Amino acid sequence: WPRSGGIRGGVAMDLFGDLRRMNKRQLYYQVLNFAMIVSSALMIWKGLIVITGSESPIVVVLSGSMEPAFHRGDLLFLTNFHDDPIRAGEIVVFKVEGRDIPIVHRVIKVHEKGNGNIKFLTKGDNNEVDDRGLYKEGQNWLEKKDVVGRARGFLPYVGMVTIIMNDYPKFKYALLAVMGAYVLLKRES
C-alpha cells in the first residue's frame, strides 16, 4: 500500500490502476455487462408489478407500528388485485395524499355500500388509536384507490439493509461504489 494515501487511498489507486490496465474492449464489455444487470433488475421489477397488480410489489416495514405481526426491517410481498374484496383483519399498504411513504397497517372496519363502494379504517397493531390522524385533513376513511397492496408474505429483517442505507447515506454510496467497482473490474474466467 502506498504510505501517503493510507488504506483508502491504496484501494482507490488499485481500482484506477486496474481500470488503466484494461484495454478498451474489456472496459466496454464490463460497462455493457453492468448495464445488462441493471436493465434485468428493472425488467424483473416491472414484471412483478404486472403479475401482482401492485405498483410496489415489495416493501420494507419502516416502523414498529405493526409489532408483533411485523417488525421494523421485515420485507413484505404485496398483491393488489382489484377483484378481491377488502376485509377487516387484512393487512394493507396504503398511500395518503401529502405523504410520500406508504403505510403498512391492519384494516379494522369496513363499510360496504349497495353500489359496491367500499370504505375502510386502518390501525397499526402496536398503536393505541386508529389512523384517522394519518389521513389527509377531513378524510375519515380510506378507499380502494388508496391501497398500494395487501400483504401476502414476508421475510423477517431482510429489509434492514434498506433502513441502514436510508439512515446512513454514506454507507449507501460506499456500497454502491464497491458493487460498481466489482462489476466493472471482475474478470471472466
Side-chain angles (χ1 to χ4, degrees):
W1 300 102
R3 287 186 182 153
S4 62
I7 292 175
R8 278 194 219 171
V11 172
M13 294 308 284
D14 279 353
L15 292 177
F16 290 122
D18 284 349
L19 279 175
R20 274 192 226 115
R21 283 190 290 275
M22 263 188 210
N23 66 36
K24 285 183 182 181
R25 181 175 283 184
Q26 286 176 317
L27 184 62
Y28 292 144
Y29 176 76
Q30 297 300 62
V31 169
L32 186 60
N33 196 17
F34 182 71
M36 285 179 24
I37 290 169
V38 170
S39 63
S40 295
L42 289 172
M43 287 190 304
I44 290 169
W45 182 255
K46 288 296 185 181
L48 284 173
I49 288 172
V50 170
I51 291 168
T52 63
S54 174
E55 68 186 63
S56 187
I58 300 171
V59 296
V60 175
V61 177
L62 298 176
S63 75
S65 67
M66 279 303 293
E67 290 180 3
F70 299 119
H71 294 85
R72 190 170 191 251
D74 288 354
L75 191 71
L76 298 182
F77 300 100
L78 309 178
T79 62
N80 195 20
F81 302 118
H82 292 285
D83 297 342
D84 291 344
I86 293 175
R87 298 287 175 227
E90 186 173 26
I91 296 170
V92 296
V93 177
F94 61 92
K95 269 190 174 173
V96 177
E97 191 177 310
R99 292 185 179 261
D100 294 334
I101 299 173
I103 300 169
V104 179
H105 281 174
R106 189 178 304 275
V107 176
I108 58 170
K109 289 182 184 175
V110 177
H111 287 279
E112 295 183 54
K113 295 186 177 180
N115 62 2
N117 284 349
I118 296 174
K119 293 189 176 201
F120 57 95
L121 181 63
T122 57
K123 176 185 170 295
D125 290 356
N126 201 21
N127 293 349
E128 296 292 323
V129 296
D130 63 42
D131 291 342
R132 286 186 174 131
L134 296 175
Y135 303 159
K136 73 177 180 178
E137 193 174 327
Q139 182 180 8
N140 290 321
W141 301 90
L142 292 175
E143 299 176 19
K144 270 191 152 183
K145 68 176 178 56
D146 300 316
V147 175
V148 173
R150 302 168 193 193
R152 300 297 184 203
F154 77 103
L155 288 173
Y157 303 111
V158 174
M160 283 306 287
V161 174
T162 302
I163 291 173
I164 290 169
M165 286 194 298
N166 283 335
D167 290 350
Y168 305 101
K170 288 181 182 178
F171 175 76
K172 173 174 49 178
Y173 297 127
L175 185 63
L176 288 171
V178 167
M179 289 171 46
Y182 173 75
V183 170
L184 285 174
L185 299 176
K186 79 172 188 165
R187 305 260 191 255
E188 294 294 322
S189 22

